Amino acid sequence: MDTLLITGGAGFIGANLVRLALEKVDDRVVILDRLTYAGCRESLADVVVDSRVDFVEGSIDDRELVERLFDRHQPRAVLNLAAETHVDRSIEDPRVFVETNVGGTFELLEAARRHLAAATADRRAAFRFLHVSTDEVFGSLGETGLFSEDTRYDPSSPYSASKAAADHLVRAYHRTYGMPTLITNCSNNYGPFQFPEKLIPLMILNAVEAKDLPIYGDGSNVRDWIFVGDHCSGLLEVLVRGRPGESYNIGGGGERTNLEIVSTLCTALQEQLPPSENPAMSARGLDSYTQLITFVEDRPGHDLRYAIDASKIRRDLGWEPQSGLAEGMTRTVLWYLENRSWCEGVQGGYDRPRLGLLSR
């Protein structure tokens, strides 16, 4: 049985990808995850019982561990989703972002290089190194235009700079060593298993508790949103059919302002958990979740707009997103309402504070 090595498989996108991979391919799946605050066993509780799954706790920047996994499992592909991802946290403590996102990617590439050097010609030809990146490496758009695969890199935060550096390393290993690498740059994901520091789960859980819904600046910053299941289907499509050395943008065509996104969530919550049936809302005397919206000091270096041109993956690989934004948001709201125990378990003592403000 062939093996896929999925790093960061206990994180938000990783946990969804592992499930889809088990459904779509016959390979054994080895999951490597450090189990930071955003990567948790609870997200894999129904997965690790599968006989095809081997979960390993550890970091991608642990050279000996990574080399041992390559030696033991001889993976036919690496899907690298392990990363520190929250922009606000990168503003407060950029070091761990460089260590994990850059240093960890380097260790994976080096292990893969040594692995391929000892592999047969057929194994080398079949191997793939899929590096999962972000549209944030491209910087900020104005009111018009789209990010394409040829857009110049212009990262604004320590997070996006660390991802950009990792992308460059992956591309260099293809050009220098001939490693069959693939890079994907995706738009903002939403859906099940996302740690509630990110906009959408944060807003859902705050609304359920009738807490303020803080929106940076005036809420006019624009992001392109994609349902996590659609992103994962795109990743598998790139893995199977993508051309080594190429990068592919994966976007959902869900371009909205932050204010529009929060308003959409409020509408979905209004239907799924009417304020009259929510004791926290009743206690505040509120009859609409939109009454919880507040505007707070903007994030330093906050990019104005991201929008993905996904025409290449549509044209070359035939991939299309299946979930419209309204449908995906409703599914997401329902998942968080129905999985409160997961939310409580992963949060621990985290009370959803504001992060990333520079000290004055």
Side-chain angles (χ1 to χ4, degrees):
M1 184 181 295
D2 281 330
T3 297
L4 300 180
L5 173 59
I6 300 180
T7 70
F12 164 42
I13 300 173
N16 284 280
L17 178 61
V18 167
R19 286 175 171 78
L20 188 63
L22 290 171
E23 176 186 337
K24 297 295 185 181
V25 302
D26 296 327
D27 301 68
R28 174 181 297 278
V29 176
V30 175
I31 302 166
L32 174 61
D33 199 292
R34 193 173 67 181
L35 295 180
T36 63
Y37 71 94
C40 50
R41 292 183 184 275
E42 290 90 339
S43 299
L44 297 172
D46 60 329
V47 169
V48 293
V49 296
D50 192 304
S51 62
R52 288 189 291 150
V53 173
D54 185 3
F55 177 80
V56 179
E57 182 177 351
S59 176
I60 59 172
D61 63 6
D62 184 336
R63 180 175 303 175
E64 292 184 2
L65 173 60
V66 171
E67 289 181 347
R68 190 161 63 246
L69 289 179
F70 270 86
D71 290 342
R72 180 184 305 162
H73 297 287
Q74 301 289 305
R76 74 170 179 91
V78 175
L79 296 90
N80 181 30
L81 292 89
E84 296 287 342
T85 64
H86 193 37
V87 174
D88 287 351
R89 289 181 185 266
S90 81
I91 294 170
E92 294 192 350
D93 182 14
R95 180 180 299 277
V96 68
F97 286 75
V98 175
E99 292 172 346
T100 299
N101 300 354
V102 184
T105 300
F106 167 73
E107 296 297 349
L108 284 173
L109 287 165
E110 278 291 278
R113 184 165 71 92
R114 288 188 287 270
H115 167 67
L116 290 177
T120 65
D122 288 345
R123 293 288 291 180
R124 286 198 299 272
F127 182 82
R128 296 292 183 269
F129 188 106
L130 173 54
H131 177 69
V132 180
S133 189
T134 171
D135 58 1
E136 295 198 34
V137 298
F138 300 123
S140 183
L141 288 168
E143 294 182 359
T144 61
L146 301 171
F147 293 137
S148 75
E149 287 81 1
D150 296 324
T151 298
R152 181 176 64 89
Y153 277 31
D154 187 25
S156 300
S157 68
Y159 160 62
S160 57
S162 68
K163 291 297 289 184
D167 290 7
H168 290 320
L169 270 176
V170 173
R171 195 167 284 113
Y173 270 64
H174 171 73
R175 294 176 180 173
T176 302
Y177 303 110
M179 185 178 294
T181 62
L182 299 154
I183 297 174
T184 58
N185 298 89
C186 68
S187 52
N188 281 32
N189 282 234
Y190 67 95
F193 300 109
Q194 188 171 32
F195 188 79
E197 66 184 358
K198 299 296 180 72
L199 178 67
I200 288 175
L202 174 70
M203 295 298 152
I204 295 171
L205 297 182
N206 274 16
V208 168
E209 298 172 14
K211 294 181 178 179
D212 288 348
L213 307 181
I215 299 178
Y216 292 167
D218 61 3
S220 63
N221 298 77
V222 174
R223 297 295 181 264
D224 178 15
W225 294 89
I226 185 171
F227 187 67
V228 66
D230 287 334
H231 179 205
C232 291
S233 71
L235 292 176
L236 292 184
E237 203 66 47
V238 171
L239 179 68
V240 172
R241 301 179 59 207
R243 180 181 174 184
E246 295 286 327
S247 62
Y248 297 87
N249 284 351
I250 304 179
E255 191 177 339
R256 299 291 190 280
T257 67
N258 287 342
L259 181 56
E260 287 173 328
I261 287 294
V262 175
S263 297
T264 299
L265 289 173
C266 288
T267 299
L269 281 162
Q270 201 80 13
E271 296 173 355
Q272 303 300 329
L273 182 64
S276 60
E277 299 176 13
N278 182 345
M281 289 290 285
S282 298
R284 291 192 61 176
L286 303 177
D287 59 12
S288 172
Y289 289 104
T290 58
Q291 294 171 285
L292 297 171
I293 293 176
T294 60
F295 296 94
V296 300
E297 182 179 351
D298 206 356
R299 166 192 288 162
H302 198 179
D303 289 332
L304 173 63
R305 175 174 168 263
Y306 303 153
I308 283 279
D309 176 2
S311 59
K312 178 178 177 179
I313 190 174
R314 294 173 189 244
R315 180 187 66 248
D316 293 359
L317 306 185
W319 172 87
E320 293 277 354
Q322 301 300 308
S323 302
L325 190 64
E327 173 205 351
M329 288 291 181
T330 298
R331 289 169 62 187
T332 300
V333 166
L334 281 171
W335 190 88
Y336 282 94
L337 292 178
E338 294 170 357
N339 290 273
R340 295 298 304 282
S341 60
W342 178 89
C343 298
E344 293 167 2
V346 301
Q347 286 181 95
Y350 176 73
D351 60 358
R352 306 192 290 277
R354 172 71 194 273
L355 301 171
L357 283 176
L358 299 176
S359 58
R360 300 192 185 282

mmCIF file of all heavy atoms in Angstrom, residues 101-119:
data_model
loop_
_atom_site.group_PDB
_atom_site.id
_atom_site.type_symbol
_atom_site.label_atom_id
_atom_site.label_comp_id
_atom_site.label_asym_id
_atom_site.label_seq_id
_atom_site.Cartn_x
_atom_site.Cartn_y
_atom_site.Cartn_z
ATOM 1 N N ASN A 101 7.335 27.694 9.399
ATOM 2 C CA ASN A 101 6.933 27.834 8.001
ATOM 3 C C ASN A 101 8.118 27.787 7.037
ATOM 4 O O ASN A 101 7.992 27.265 5.936
ATOM 5 C CB ASN A 101 6.149 29.129 7.801
ATOM 6 C CG ASN A 101 4.889 29.170 8.637
ATOM 7 O OD1 ASN A 101 4.536 28.185 9.286
ATOM 8 N ND2 ASN A 101 4.207 30.298 8.639
ATOM 9 N N VAL A 102 9.259 28.347 7.462
ATOM 10 C CA VAL A 102 10.444 28.331 6.602
ATOM 11 C C VAL A 102 11.340 27.148 6.965
ATOM 12 O O VAL A 102 11.647 26.297 6.114
ATOM 13 C CB VAL A 102 11.230 29.652 6.704
ATOM 14 C CG1 VAL A 102 12.401 29.640 5.724
ATOM 15 C CG2 VAL A 102 10.326 30.846 6.438
ATOM 16 N N GLY A 103 11.779 27.086 8.229
ATOM 17 C CA GLY A 103 12.674 26.017 8.650
ATOM 18 C C GLY A 103 12.063 24.638 8.500
ATOM 19 O O GLY A 103 12.724 23.686 8.062
ATOM 20 N N GLY A 104 10.783 24.508 8.843
ATOM 21 C CA GLY A 104 10.120 23.213 8.723
ATOM 22 C C GLY A 104 9.974 22.766 7.283
ATOM 23 O O GLY A 104 10.180 21.588 6.958
ATOM 24 N N THR A 105 9.632 23.691 6.408
ATOM 25 C CA THR A 105 9.528 23.347 4.987
ATOM 26 C C THR A 105 10.888 22.914 4.443
ATOM 27 O O THR A 105 10.991 21.962 3.656
ATOM 28 C CB THR A 105 8.981 24.542 4.188
ATOM 29 O OG1 THR A 105 7.679 24.888 4.678
ATOM 30 C CG2 THR A 105 8.890 24.214 2.706
ATOM 31 N N PHE A 106 11.936 23.597 4.880
ATOM 32 C CA PHE A 106 13.295 23.212 4.471
ATOM 33 C C PHE A 106 13.608 21.782 4.880
ATOM 34 O O PHE A 106 14.145 20.991 4.090
ATOM 35 C CB PHE A 106 14.309 24.175 5.074
ATOM 36 C CG PHE A 106 15.731 23.703 4.972
ATOM 37 C CD1 PHE A 106 16.397 23.720 3.757
ATOM 38 C CD2 PHE A 106 16.396 23.219 6.096
ATOM 39 C CE1 PHE A 106 17.708 23.262 3.661
ATOM 40 C CE2 PHE A 106 17.703 22.764 6.007
ATOM 41 C CZ PHE A 106 18.354 22.784 4.782
ATOM 42 N N GLU A 107 13.283 21.415 6.128
ATOM 43 C CA GLU A 107 13.583 20.054 6.591
ATOM 44 C C GLU A 107 12.806 19.021 5.788
ATOM 45 O O GLU A 107 13.330 17.942 5.459
ATOM 46 C CB GLU A 107 13.262 19.920 8.085
ATOM 47 C CG GLU A 107 14.109 20.791 9.004
ATOM 48 C CD GLU A 107 15.603 20.455 8.963
ATOM 49 O OE1 GLU A 107 15.981 19.409 8.375
ATOM 50 O OE2 GLU A 107 16.390 21.235 9.520
ATOM 51 N N LEU A 108 11.565 19.308 5.447
ATOM 52 C CA LEU A 108 10.782 18.385 4.631
ATOM 53 C C LEU A 108 11.387 18.223 3.240
ATOM 54 O O LEU A 108 11.479 17.111 2.709
ATOM 55 C CB LEU A 108 9.343 18.884 4.503
ATOM 56 C CG LEU A 108 8.414 18.700 5.703
ATOM 57 C CD1 LEU A 108 7.094 19.419 5.445
ATOM 58 C CD2 LEU A 108 8.160 17.222 5.986
ATOM 59 N N LEU A 109 11.793 19.340 2.657
ATOM 60 C CA LEU A 109 12.400 19.289 1.329
ATOM 61 C C LEU A 109 13.705 18.493 1.339
ATOM 62 O O LEU A 109 13.980 17.697 0.423
ATOM 63 C CB LEU A 109 12.653 20.702 0.821
ATOM 64 C CG LEU A 109 11.418 21.491 0.382
ATOM 65 C CD1 LEU A 109 11.758 22.974 0.249
ATOM 66 C CD2 LEU A 109 10.858 20.946 -0.930
ATOM 67 N N GLU A 110 14.511 18.699 2.363
ATOM 68 C CA GLU A 110 15.772 17.975 2.456
ATOM 69 C C GLU A 110 15.536 16.475 2.631
ATOM 70 O O GLU A 110 16.214 15.649 2.017
ATOM 71 C CB GLU A 110 16.602 18.513 3.618
ATOM 72 C CG GLU A 110 17.381 19.758 3.276
ATOM 73 C CD GLU A 110 18.499 19.463 2.288
ATOM 74 O OE1 GLU A 110 19.578 19.012 2.719
ATOM 75 O OE2 GLU A 110 18.283 19.654 1.069
ATOM 76 N N ALA A 111 14.566 16.121 3.472
ATOM 77 C CA ALA A 111 14.255 14.701 3.653
ATOM 78 C C ALA A 111 13.742 14.097 2.350
ATOM 79 O O ALA A 111 14.097 12.961 1.995
ATOM 80 C CB ALA A 111 13.229 14.531 4.764
ATOM 81 N N ALA A 112 12.922 14.848 1.639
ATOM 82 C CA ALA A 112 12.403 14.361 0.357
ATOM 83 C C ALA A 112 13.537 14.211 -0.657
ATOM 84 O O ALA A 112 13.557 13.251 -1.453
ATOM 85 C CB ALA A 112 11.329 15.322 -0.164
ATOM 86 N N ARG A 113 14.483 15.138 -0.646
ATOM 87 C CA ARG A 113 15.611 15.065 -1.581
ATOM 88 C C ARG A 113 16.441 13.809 -1.339
ATOM 89 O O ARG A 113 16.818 13.095 -2.284
ATOM 90 C CB ARG A 113 16.474 16.321 -1.445
ATOM 91 C CG ARG A 113 17.624 16.383 -2.435
ATOM 92 C CD ARG A 113 18.210 17.788 -2.513
ATOM 93 N NE ARG A 113 18.944 18.160 -1.324
ATOM 94 C CZ ARG A 113 20.264 17.979 -1.180
ATOM 95 N NH1 ARG A 113 20.972 17.410 -2.153
ATOM 96 N NH2 ARG A 113 20.876 18.370 -0.076
ATOM 97 N N ARG A 114 16.725 13.511 -0.064
ATOM 98 C CA ARG A 114 17.487 12.308 0.257
ATOM 99 C C ARG A 114 16.683 11.044 -0.083
ATOM 100 O O ARG A 114 17.246 10.046 -0.559
ATOM 101 C CB ARG A 114 17.883 12.324 1.730
ATOM 102 C CG ARG A 114 18.982 13.342 2.053
ATOM 103 C CD ARG A 114 19.481 13.190 3.479
ATOM 104 N NE ARG A 114 18.501 13.687 4.442
ATOM 105 C CZ ARG A 114 18.457 14.938 4.884
ATOM 106 N NH1 ARG A 114 19.332 15.835 4.435
ATOM 107 N NH2 ARG A 114 17.564 15.314 5.763
ATOM 108 N N HIS A 115 15.402 11.105 0.158
ATOM 109 C CA HIS A 115 14.520 9.982 -0.156
ATOM 110 C C HIS A 115 14.548 9.675 -1.655
ATOM 111 O O HIS A 115 14.680 8.514 -2.065
ATOM 112 C CB HIS A 115 13.106 10.323 0.310
ATOM 113 C CG HIS A 115 12.036 9.425 -0.211
ATOM 114 N ND1 HIS A 115 11.931 8.100 0.132
ATOM 115 C CD2 HIS A 115 10.996 9.676 -1.061
ATOM 116 C CE1 HIS A 115 10.890 7.558 -0.482
ATOM 117 N NE2 HIS A 115 10.300 8.492 -1.209
ATOM 118 N N LEU A 116 14.454 10.707 -2.478
ATOM 119 C CA LEU A 116 14.429 10.514 -3.927
ATOM 120 C C LEU A 116 15.777 10.034 -4.460
ATOM 121 O O LEU A 116 15.831 9.285 -5.441
ATOM 122 C CB LEU A 116 14.024 11.815 -4.615
ATOM 123 C CG LEU A 116 12.564 12.235 -4.428
ATOM 124 C CD1 LEU A 116 12.309 13.580 -5.087
ATOM 125 C CD2 LEU A 116 11.619 11.184 -4.977
ATOM 126 N N ALA A 117 16.860 10.457 -3.817
ATOM 127 C CA ALA A 117 18.190 10.043 -4.270
ATOM 128 C C ALA A 117 18.369 8.531 -4.172
ATOM 129 O O ALA A 117 19.123 7.934 -4.961
ATOM 130 C CB ALA A 117 19.262 10.754 -3.453
ATOM 131 N N ALA A 118 17.681 7.913 -3.221
ATOM 132 C CA ALA A 118 17.811 6.463 -3.022
ATOM 133 C C ALA A 118 16.679 5.677 -3.670
ATOM 134 O O ALA A 118 16.674 4.441 -3.616
ATOM 135 C CB ALA A 118 17.856 6.158 -1.521
ATOM 136 N N ALA A 119 15.727 6.378 -4.290
ATOM 137 C CA ALA A 119 14.553 5.707 -4.847
ATOM 138 C C ALA A 119 14.830 5.190 -6.255
ATOM 139 O O ALA A 119 15.756 5.644 -6.943
ATOM 140 C CB ALA A 119 13.369 6.679 -4.876
#
